[in-house]
Each structure stands twice: as C-alpha cells, then as structure tokens.
Amino acid sequence: MAKTIPLTATEVKQAKPTFRDGKLIMRKLSDGEGLQLRVQPNGKKSWFLDFINPYTKKRTSLGFGPYPAISLADARKLRMEARELLAKGVNPKDERDTARRLLSDEHDHTLIKVATQWFKMKENHITVGYGKDIWGSLTRHIFPKLGGYPITQLTAPRVIEVIRPLEENGKLDTIKRICQRINEIMTYAVNAGLITNNPLIGIGKVFSPVQTSNNPALEAHQLPELMSAISIANVRLTTRCLIEWQLHTMTRPNEAASAKWVDIDFENKLWIIPAAVMKTNVVHKVPLTYQMINLLTLLKPENGHREFLFPSSHKPKCHANASTVNMALKRMGFSGRQTAHGFRRLARTTLAEEGFNFEALEACLSHKVGTSVSQAYNHATYMNQRIKIMAWWSKHVEQAAMGNHSLAGRGC
C-alpha cells in the first residue's frame, strides 16, 4: 500500500471541491494516519480524523474543526493527541464529548443557579420571613461578586476575600450566617453530584468568633423596672402595644410583629398563628388572656382597618419590623440587659419557678420536646394547662406594672 504523502500548507490553502458529472462534490485530502481535510461543494473546509472505535471496532470519524481556524499544524497536533488516547484504548470522541459536557455543566452550575435550586428545596421547611432573611443576605453580600462563578471555581480564599469587609465592619453575626448558608449550598451541590467535595467547609473559622449573649433577659424581680420604663417610653402607641403584646404572648419577635387581625379568633379567645410564620413550621395557638384582649381593643380604632395589628409606620400595608421592639428597648436603656427574644426567657424562667408543667410551658413557647420519634407520637397541645399558664403570666405582668403602667391592664 502506497504511503500517504503529507499535505503542505499551500495544498490545503488552494484545495477545491471535486467536479464530477457536471456538479461539485465533496473532496477528501489525506495527510496520513487518518487525518483528512474535507472540502465541501461550497468551498468550506474542515478537519476530520478517521479511526477505529476501540470499543465497537467500527470505523468512525472525529471532527477537529474548520480551516483556517484550525491550521494544518493544529490539526496534526490534535491527531497526535487523539492517537495517544487510542493507544490507551480510549475513544477520543467520547473524551472530547465528556470535556465539552463538563465545560457546559460548569457554566450552567453557577453559584446563583445552584443556590436557587437549594433554596427551592429549603423554603418548604422554613417560614416565609426566615426565607427572606436567607435569600436577602446572599443577595446583598455574596451574589454580586460570586453569583456568576461556576461552583467548581469557588475556593476558600476567593470567598473569604468577599466576606472579609463584613468583619472589618463588625458584622460578625452576618458572617456566621453567610458561612453557614453558603456551606449548605455547597453540601447540596456535593449531594447532587455537581462537585466532588466542598472546599468551603472551614471558612467560618478564619473570622473572629461571635460573642454570644444568649438573648439577655432581666431577672424575674426586675420586671417592674421594665414595665415602668415601657410606660414612660417615648414611642408610638402601636410600638408600645407591640412590646406588651410580645411580652404577654411569649412569641418570637417576627411572630408578634407580623400578627394579622384575620388570625384573631375573638369568639374562642385564640390567636392562631399560621405554620408559614412559625419557626417550627407548625400552627401555633395562643390563648388570649383578658390583658391581651385589652390590647386588641386599644389597637382596634388605630389599626383595625389594616391587615396587620402592628403596621409599619412607613409602609402601613406591611407589618412592623421584627427588630422594632429591640430598638425600642435599647432607647429605653436596656441594651445588653433585655432583648425582645429575651422576653421568652424571662417568662419561661418565672413560670418554671412557679412550678408549672414542663411540657405545657414548652408548648406555650412553641418548642419541640423530645426526639423526632417521640414528637411524631405526641400530638398533645396541653391547651387547658396553657390557658391557666397564660392567664397567670398576664396577671403577673399586670401586677408588675403596679396597675397603672400597663396598657394591657386597663379596662376596655
């Protein structure tokens, strides 16, 4: 068999399609070892490699690309790389298709796209408010600089560089939450088979630790001091009612601030908080005491025409910010001593000292008790006991106000 004479650059440049039977047809020029230049009837030229598939043992071809974008020298280099794979029993076409798929996946699996997939799964198990907090923090601090990056290109130094300015501004709580959330996203990516490992698993340890205060709360005997400060505080009526409402109901800041009139069952004296609002994602029913109803009566003329009990002063169609009570407490001089969430701790401690049933107290706070298995079998709400507990607590708060400091203690 005659040896193929390699092509020259001039031959490749001047190659024309074949003219046969009165029409132009494709022409193939061989450079040897399976490399061909194919010239189409319209004059376009492309490089191909003919080879035997090592798996099927059938003849096939692999396209290298068009000429002159791929020069003769480029085509020969690609031929050499392909034949090295063939010598190892690897199909070069499969290898190229895999590389292209990985490149395509890399651009499809950017941080913001993967985060969106993760969040769609997560938001089914969290409250709407918490979901907004999660996505908002990522949108503000991570996505602007890293959202377009393929997750395969996210490295610890790159992410730390983006987060570091938050540390300089003293936002250590924000850093802690962001590190947790971005690690959840990367763990999701690992479990989904998008990456093989999570390179960000330890990034939270390079930042200053958060000094936790465990939601400071006053001692039980200091409740009169708090009630006196609330009574003379320079705040709006709605804000003062919100402070007392949260104190009496023992609810979390967001649950209290987002309370709706439609969820108040006056007939059965219940505040029925939807599962979507609750941290536990379970409907929570709060027995309404005489003092709580007094607050509602006081609020009705002011906000009864609104959707929320405590509308925002700037956006009346929205509810008050969950941090409203915290900000008011700071202005009253309770910074570092009492937080809005700490109201729950204050109530829980006081009630425990009175000897109330543990499970009933936990139910008042919408806490889950026991293991996941025991929770699945325990559907008790302890409502009768909770009615007594809430009544005792409201009366205790009213007495701490000495009869003239509490809005809730006033008659209708």
Side-chain angles (χ1 to χ4, degrees):
M1 185 174 181
K3 185 178 179 180
T4 301
I5 300 174
L7 297 170
T8 65
T10 301
E11 287 176 319
V12 171
K13 183 178 181 179
Q14 296 178 352
K16 306 288 185 185
T18 297
F19 191 81
R20 182 184 298 170
D21 297 331
K23 62 180 182 179
L24 294 171
I25 62 172
M26 182 176 69
R27 181 185 178 189
K28 297 180 181 180
L29 290 82
S30 178
D31 187 60
E33 297 183 301
L35 181 61
Q36 290 182 346
L37 177 72
R38 298 182 185 179
V39 187
Q40 300 295 330
N42 60 6
K44 291 184 178 180
K45 307 170 188 179
S46 299
W47 295 104
F48 285 86
L49 178 71
D50 278 357
F51 65 96
I52 301 297
N53 188 318
Y55 310 136
T56 64
K57 306 304 179 183
K58 294 182 179 180
R59 182 170 291 280
T60 185
S61 61
L62 171 64
F64 285 159
Y67 172 87
I70 304 297
S71 67
L72 176 58
D74 292 336
R76 287 171 175 169
K77 182 179 179 181
L78 292 171
R79 175 182 61 189
M80 179 182 69
E81 293 172 354
R83 295 193 70 83
E84 286 175 354
L85 291 172
L86 286 167
K88 298 175 183 177
V90 177
N91 184 341
K93 188 172 184 179
D94 291 346
E95 194 77 0
R96 184 199 58 187
D97 291 346
T98 299
R100 286 181 176 176
R101 186 178 66 256
L102 290 174
L103 183 62
S104 175
D105 288 347
E106 187 173 83
H107 287 89
D108 287 341
H109 300 149
T110 58
L111 175 59
I112 193 167
K113 289 183 179 179
V114 175
T116 300
Q117 296 169 13
W118 162 78
F119 188 70
K120 284 182 179 179
M121 176 192 69
K122 187 175 181 69
E123 67 179 343
N124 294 324
H125 310 287
I126 58 177
T127 65
V128 174
Y130 185 41
K132 288 181 179 179
D133 177 64
I134 290 174
W135 197 252
S137 67
L138 294 171
T139 300
R140 287 190 299 274
H141 305 299
I142 295 298
F143 294 153
K145 292 186 177 179
L146 296 176
Y149 272 84
I151 54 173
T152 53
Q153 293 182 22
L154 288 180
T155 63
R158 178 168 283 159
V159 177
I160 290 170
E161 182 183 4
V162 171
I163 298 176
R164 186 68 74 182
L166 293 173
E167 184 179 41
E168 296 170 359
N169 292 328
K171 297 182 178 179
L172 302 182
D173 282 317
T174 301
I175 291 175
K176 181 181 178 180
R177 290 192 294 269
I178 287 176
C179 288
Q180 290 172 341
R181 289 160 187 176
I182 200 168
N183 265 283
E184 281 192 47
I185 295 168
M186 296 298 281
T187 299
Y188 167 82
V190 172
N191 294 335
L194 306 180
I195 51 178
T196 57
N197 66 290
N198 176 9
L200 308 181
I201 198 164
I203 60 172
K205 296 179 180 179
V206 306
F207 300 103
S208 301
V210 177
Q211 300 298 319
T212 57
S213 60
N214 197 28
N215 289 311
L218 298 172
E219 298 294 330
H221 69 273
Q222 295 175 310
L223 182 56
E225 177 191 352
L226 174 65
M227 299 308 298
S228 177
I230 293 173
S231 71
I232 61 174
N234 184 21
V235 295
R236 297 167 55 238
L237 174 64
T238 296
T239 300
R240 186 176 166 188
C241 285
L242 173 55
I243 296 172
E244 292 201 30
W245 178 258
Q246 188 178 337
L247 181 60
H248 280 273
T249 60
M250 296 189 281
T251 48
R252 298 176 181 89
N254 184 64
E255 296 160 5
S258 61
K260 295 181 178 181
W261 289 106
V262 71
D263 296 328
I264 303 295
D265 182 349
F266 284 97
E267 183 178 351
N268 294 300
K269 296 183 178 180
L270 288 173
W271 171 26
I272 304 171
I273 310 177
V277 178
M278 296 299 299
K279 181 179 180 180
T280 55
N281 207 31
V282 176
V283 172
H284 182 54
K285 296 181 180 180
V286 179
L288 295 177
T289 65
Y290 163 80
Q291 291 79 3
M292 296 178 202
I293 292 175
N294 276 352
L295 285 172
L296 294 174
T297 302
L298 189 62
L299 279 170
K300 199 73 174 177
E302 183 88 3
N303 302 327
H305 62 295
R306 302 288 186 189
E307 179 182 5
F308 298 101
L309 273 66
F310 311 101
S312 166
S313 59
H314 303 297
K315 298 179 181 179
K317 291 185 178 180
C318 301
H319 62 74
N321 193 295
S323 64
T324 298
V325 175
N326 267 339
M327 291 187 289
L329 288 170
K330 287 181 180 180
R331 289 195 297 270
M332 284 184 242
F334 289 96
S335 180
R337 299 180 62 205
Q338 178 70 60
T339 63
H341 199 94
F343 284 163
R344 291 161 59 82
R345 182 180 170 191
L346 174 61
R348 180 68 175 79
T349 302
T350 305
L351 291 164
E353 290 176 353
E354 288 298 312
F356 286 106
N357 176 271
F358 172 80
E359 286 80 7
L361 287 179
E362 292 299 284
C364 287
L365 296 169
S366 69
H367 282 166
K368 293 182 178 180
V369 179
T371 65
S372 58
V373 175
S374 63
Q375 291 167 16
Y377 287 95
N378 182 13
H379 297 288
T381 61
Y382 305 96
M383 184 56 73
N384 288 336
Q385 295 179 62
R386 287 169 57 199
I387 291 173
K388 295 177 181 178
I389 290 172
M390 300 302 287
W392 186 95
W393 173 244
S394 276
K395 186 65 177 178
H396 179 74
V397 172
E398 180 184 354
Q399 289 174 344
M402 295 176 291
N404 55 14
H405 290 148
S406 172
L407 294 177
R410 299 178 180 179
C412 298

